């Protein structure tokens, strides 16, 4: 039997400019037992939160401003300011088209 994850010890950052989507994600995480959840409405605020540390997983929308979710992941993976270049990232999108350009 698979070991159960204790979500109460996982610290999440939700990055989404749509407050309803962000709230839905936060509600789901809380139902799973997560207690440490931060939210950022844009990529600049997300970077500030990441520089402050104490985040284990990022859940980000692909379509962000002023930089996209793709660019946020690039910052996490390659910036000298990044505290954890191997941080798990879950990227979401509301777009239903098969092809999207960056």
């Amino acid at each position: 039997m698979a070991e159960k994850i204790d979500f109460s010890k996982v610290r999440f950052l939700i990055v989404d400019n749509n407050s309803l989507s962000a709230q839905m994600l936060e509600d789901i995480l809380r139902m799973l037992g997560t207690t440490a959840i931060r939210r950022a409405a844009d990529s600049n605020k997300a970077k500030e939160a990441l520089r402050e540390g104490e985040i284990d997983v990022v859940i980000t929308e692909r379509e962000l401003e002023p930089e996209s979710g793709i660019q946020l992941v690039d910052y996490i993976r390659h910036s000298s300011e990044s505290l954890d270049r191997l941080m798990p990232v879950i990227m979401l999108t509301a777009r239903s088209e098969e092809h999207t350009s960056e």
Side-chain angles (χ1 to χ4, degrees), residues 73-88:
V73 172
D74 186 60
Y75 169 84
I76 292 168
R77 297 288 183 253
H78 301 106
S79 174
S80 61
E81 296 177 356
S82 179
L83 299 178
D84 183 358
R85 292 182 180 184
L86 299 176
M87 178 177 296

Side-chain angles (χ1 to χ4, degrees), residues 25-93:
L25 284 169
E26 184 173 338
D27 291 346
I28 291 168
L29 291 172
R30 291 206 187 280
M31 286 190 300
L32 291 170
T34 302
T35 57
I37 302 169
R38 295 183 65 182
R39 286 170 50 174
D42 63 46
S43 54
N44 287 337
K45 288 184 175 80
K47 288 178 183 180
E48 288 174 24
L50 288 164
R51 285 191 293 269
E52 291 171 11
E54 300 193 10
I55 295 169
D56 299 311
V57 178
V58 173
I59 301 176
T60 183
E61 166 62 41
R62 186 179 191 278
E63 306 296 321
L64 294 174
E65 295 293 333
E67 295 178 336
S68 72
I70 301 286
Q71 290 167 307
L72 179 61
V73 172
D74 186 60
Y75 169 84
I76 292 168
R77 297 288 183 253
H78 301 106
S79 174
S80 61
E81 296 177 356
S82 179
L83 299 178
D84 183 358
R85 292 182 180 184
L86 299 176
M87 178 177 296
V89 176
I90 300 168
M91 186 170 297
L92 307 173
T93 185

